[in-house]
């Protein structure tokens, strides 16, 4: 990881600060794209990756086993979707819809 940081690589993920803390590595903020922050409204709860993947990408994930590769792919797709919607001026509406729906279903979503 240190080599990637030194080379200036951009890290895209969900909840990366916790991952970097666990790995005991410091990454400059300009090298971090964190979907937990992108899909967050001030003074509101942070939204889980699973909830976002289900709502935004229309698919369930991590039903039985944690899969880091699945997490990474979902986070990257969420980043791409956010960038696309921001360019179209539609991201704020999506974020409002996510929070409205999340509160309605008590942030529970997916296959039971």
């Amino acid at each position: 990881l240190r080599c990637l940081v030194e080379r200036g690589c951009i890290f895209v993920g969900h909840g990366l600060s916790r991952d970097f803390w666990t790995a005991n590595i410091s990454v400059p903020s300009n090298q971090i794209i964190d979907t937990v922050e992108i899909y967050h409204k001030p003074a509101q709860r942070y939204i889980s990756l699973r909830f976002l993947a289900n709502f935004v990408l229309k698919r369930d994930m991590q039903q039985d086993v944690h899969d880091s590769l699945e997490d990474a792919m979902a986070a990257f797709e969420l980043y791409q979707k956010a960038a696309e919607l921001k360019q179209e001026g539609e991201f704020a509406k999506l974020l409002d819809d996510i929070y409205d729906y999340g509160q309605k279903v008590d942030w529970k979503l997916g296959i039971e």
Side-chain angles (χ1 to χ4, degrees):
L1 280 176
R2 291 189 202 292
C3 180
L4 295 174
V5 172
E6 290 169 5
R7 290 177 180 246
C9 289
I10 305 296
F11 295 88
V12 178
H14 193 82
L16 290 174
S17 61
R18 180 179 46 217
D19 295 337
F20 293 138
W21 182 84
T22 300
N24 194 28
I25 189 166
S26 177
V27 179
S29 60
N30 66 330
Q31 288 179 242
I32 299 171
I33 298 173
D34 198 334
T35 54
V36 80
E37 298 296 339
I38 292 172
Y39 287 88
H40 179 251
K41 290 174 77 172
Q44 297 288 324
R45 69 173 287 151
Y46 287 95
I47 305 172
S48 72
L49 180 60
R50 183 177 182 202
F51 190 92
L52 287 171
N54 196 306
F55 190 92
V56 177
L57 305 176
K58 308 294 186 221
R59 69 170 188 258
D60 202 9
M61 60 181 286
Q62 296 181 0
Q63 293 180 32
D64 299 317
V65 180
H66 178 259
D67 182 338
S68 297
L69 184 57
E70 183 181 28
D71 286 1
M73 291 187 313
F76 187 69
E77 289 176 55
L78 286 166
Y79 159 68
Q80 289 178 312
K81 188 66 172 177
E84 172 189 319
L85 291 174
K86 284 179 180 182
Q87 190 171 25
E88 296 170 359
E90 297 292 323
F91 183 73
K93 182 184 180 330
L94 173 67
L95 198 55
D96 287 340
D97 291 347
I98 293 169
Y99 275 92
D100 289 345
Y101 188 74
Q103 291 167 355
K104 178 180 172 186
V105 298
D106 196 28
W107 300 99
K108 292 180 175 68
L109 195 60
I111 299 169
E112 297 287 326

